[in-house]
Amino acid sequence: MNKLFYLLSVAALCMSAPSVTAAEAEGAAEAEQSRFSIKPMARLLADGAVYAPDGQGFTDGVTLSDIAVGVTAGYGKWSGRVDLGFGYFKFAMKDVYVQYKFNDRHLLRLGYFMQQFGLQAAYSKSMKPTFENPVSDSYMGATPRELGLMYNMSLPRYFMGLSATFGTIGDLSAEKVIRPQIGALGRFVWRPVAREGAVAQIGVSAWYQSPLYKRSNEDGKGSFNFSANYPTRVAKVKMLGATLQHAGNQLLVTPELLVSYGRFALQSQYYYMNVRRHRGLPAYEAQGAYVWLHCLLLGDRSYKYASSVAGLATPGPGTLELVAGYDYTNGSHKDVHGGISNDVHVSLNYYINKYLLARLGWRYATARDSQALMADFGGRHHVNIIQARIQFRF
């Protein structure tokens, strides 16, 4: 009898206790989401390199190639980022933008940042698994930071990024610039398989933009400047370069491929660029390609996928990764001698923890038919590069 009385008392208490309705739960979730949050961030890259042969601009040494401080903030579906760089002890504006995230599938971003163009847009400048961008990507300016408005859509099997760009901060502040480069671009990706351990993805990006107009341009026509250094940050030696006067609009197209299974991954892009020219001059064409092979040696047993940017995610702490690749760029066409380069490289990346990363790599890079080399270093055409990097970030 006592037990029955006890059970009835407990039941009565439970029935009289206030219950949380679905509406109240939803309101609590919205209140949590609407809280203002702010988070500081910092990044430091210390690079060392040895060159063989040295000389002609290649000097062994160490440098702080990137020092950055910034902050991210969020309120509800709004967020923003300010990232200021002091690499080589010189000030440079990094990411500065505000964005509205409708949900996990759609976002709108406005400011100064790297647009979604090609597979390299899935990785920040400091997180390239081979130390640096492919030479083709650098020479053709495929992933610069630009002022722009971008819309991203990420669905289970599709990714799309659409942008309008309005040049760089440097273009807008330069005294001799009459009109910055204005363009429209898009990245379109199909990923029938996109999960941890297995990825199959193909895509294509296209960018159409106007030239840069300066007061010094002949006949009031626009111009383009294309250039790429040897892929090392300790010694800054120009590898490829071309300046186009009397330039019209530019078209840049790059198809992409990404596949991974378990510990192995492959990614590749092909680049094609066409710049129309005035005064009866032939159009300028450039092309290039790269292929990277990835392998997880220790730690993670399979590659993860970052669906929001349509690329491989950063491996986890304690993971040792091997990446080998080949880059080719041809910037010489008819009367323009931008240069032809080949680059073979191998990198070891050790992701120590979520704050520390160490890289060690070797490259053999060659260049020929480059006006930039003749002008600056007497036609230097090849170099072996052994480089190391310690990276700290939070």
Side-chain angles (χ1 to χ4, degrees), residues 158-278:
Y158 301 96
F159 175 88
M160 179 181 71
L162 298 175
S163 298
T165 57
F166 311 98
T168 68
I169 290 178
D171 292 342
L172 294 181
S173 61
E175 294 181 359
K176 296 182 179 180
V177 172
I178 300 174
R179 192 176 78 190
Q181 292 175 274
I182 299 173
L185 64 146
R187 181 186 178 203
F188 309 92
V189 171
W190 178 51
R191 46 191 185 195
V193 180
R195 56 180 172 80
E196 180 176 348
V199 176
Q201 170 180 304
I202 59 173
V204 64
S205 301
W207 194 337
Y208 189 73
Q209 64 180 340
S210 66
L212 186 67
Y213 289 87
K214 301 180 181 179
R215 291 188 179 90
S216 57
N217 287 354
E218 300 178 21
D219 300 334
K221 302 299 182 182
S223 64
F224 281 100
N225 182 59
F226 305 107
S227 67
N229 290 341
Y230 277 89
T232 171
R233 299 195 191 186
V234 175
K236 291 186 173 182
V237 180
K238 186 164 287 189
M239 187 181 193
L240 307 174
T243 299
L244 296 185
Q245 300 292 345
H246 317 293
N249 293 335
Q250 174 200 45
L251 174 65
L252 179 60
V253 179
T254 175
E256 64 183 73
L257 171 68
L258 172 63
V259 293
S260 76
Y261 185 77
R263 295 179 180 269
F264 301 95
L266 177 149
Q267 61 176 304
S268 180
Q269 281 182 248
Y270 168 76
Y271 300 82
Y272 172 77
M273 180 174 67
N274 183 291
V275 181
R276 184 172 59 88
R277 292 196 287 171
H278 301 286

Side-chain angles (χ1 to χ4, degrees), residues 44 316-319 350-359 389-394:
L44 173 66
T319 299
Y350 182 43
Y351 302 87
I352 302 170
N353 52 47
K354 66 178 182 178
Y355 304 111
L356 284 173
L357 164 62
R359 301 190 195 276
R389 172 178 295 167
I390 295 293
Q391 177 176 322
F392 170 78
R393 63 173 185 152
F394 70 85

Side-chain angles (χ1 to χ4, degrees), residues 14-56:
C14 291
M15 293 175 65
S16 62
S19 60
V20 179
T21 66
E24 290 173 332
E26 184 178 352
E30 290 179 355
E32 180 69 23
Q33 187 184 49
S34 297
R35 288 182 181 178
F36 178 77
S37 64
I38 187 167
K39 180 181 178 182
M41 58 185 181
R43 183 173 63 253
L44 173 66
L45 270 64
D47 282 9
V50 176
Y51 306 99
D54 55 9
Q56 292 183 309

Side-chain angles (χ1 to χ4, degrees), residues 272-292:
Y272 172 77
M273 180 174 67
N274 183 291
V275 181
R276 184 172 59 88
R277 292 196 287 171
H278 301 286
R279 295 183 61 181
L281 295 171
Y284 171 65
E285 296 181 359
Q287 58 183 323
Y290 75 86
V291 58
W292 293 352

Side-chain angles (χ1 to χ4, degrees), residues 360-372:
L360 178 65
W362 165 82
R363 287 179 180 268
Y364 179 70
T366 69
R368 58 185 175 88
D369 195 34
S370 171
Q371 290 179 335

